[in-house]
Amino acid sequence: MIKRAAAAAVGGVVAVGAAPVVLSAMGFTGAGIAASSLAAKMMSAAAIANGGGVAAGSLVATLQSAGAAGLSLSSKALLGFAGSSFAAWMGRSKEADPSFPPAGPSGGDSQDGNAPTDKPPASQNCSEKDEK
């Protein structure tokens, strides 16, 4: 449990810390959109789709704002929560859950002690003719 909490904390910190680096690498910089970058291609596609301008509130506009001014406190909190959740999910235990019985003839899947099969049991009320 402590391992999972530590993974969540690290995941949140990494997510918030990596966001400015990723934005800058994409071309969303403090000085504007970098030429010949992924951000420039995104801006071009958005402008073509909107008839010549980038719509306010669009993905490109939001990323440009975050690249130029940094992330707001609420954005950092949301990103930290998402990173923590993802890291906690990835850091979960790979061991079998003790609340479930083991599969197979020795435990849980079959009442008669036989190994479970992929086929459902035949109905008592139908003949072979009905099954075809």
Side-chain angles (χ1 to χ4, degrees):
M1 189 61 145
I2 292 175
K3 181 179 176 184
R4 194 170 183 179
V10 169
V13 170
V14 168
V16 173
V21 175
V22 171
L23 286 172
S24 181
M26 289 177 65
F28 296 103
T29 67
I33 291 183
S36 300
S37 65
L38 178 61
K41 290 176 179 58
M42 289 174 66
M43 184 176 180
S44 174
I48 290 169
N50 289 316
V54 176
S58 67
L59 177 64
V60 174
T62 303
L63 292 175
Q64 174 55 36
S65 175
L71 296 172
S72 66
L73 184 59
S74 60
S75 295
K76 287 179 183 178
L78 183 62
L79 194 57
F81 175 74
S84 294
S85 298
F86 182 73
W89 178 72
M90 290 298 291
R92 71 190 187 285
S93 176
K94 303 288 187 211
E95 297 172 8
D97 188 355
S99 64
F100 290 107
S106 63
D109 286 348
S110 177
Q111 296 290 334
D112 59 3
N114 294 330
T117 64
D118 291 340
K119 294 171 61 176
S123 172
Q124 298 288 335
N125 297 332
C126 66
S127 67
E128 289 181 13
K129 221 191 278 184
D130 293 339
E131 290 179 358
K132 293 181 183 178

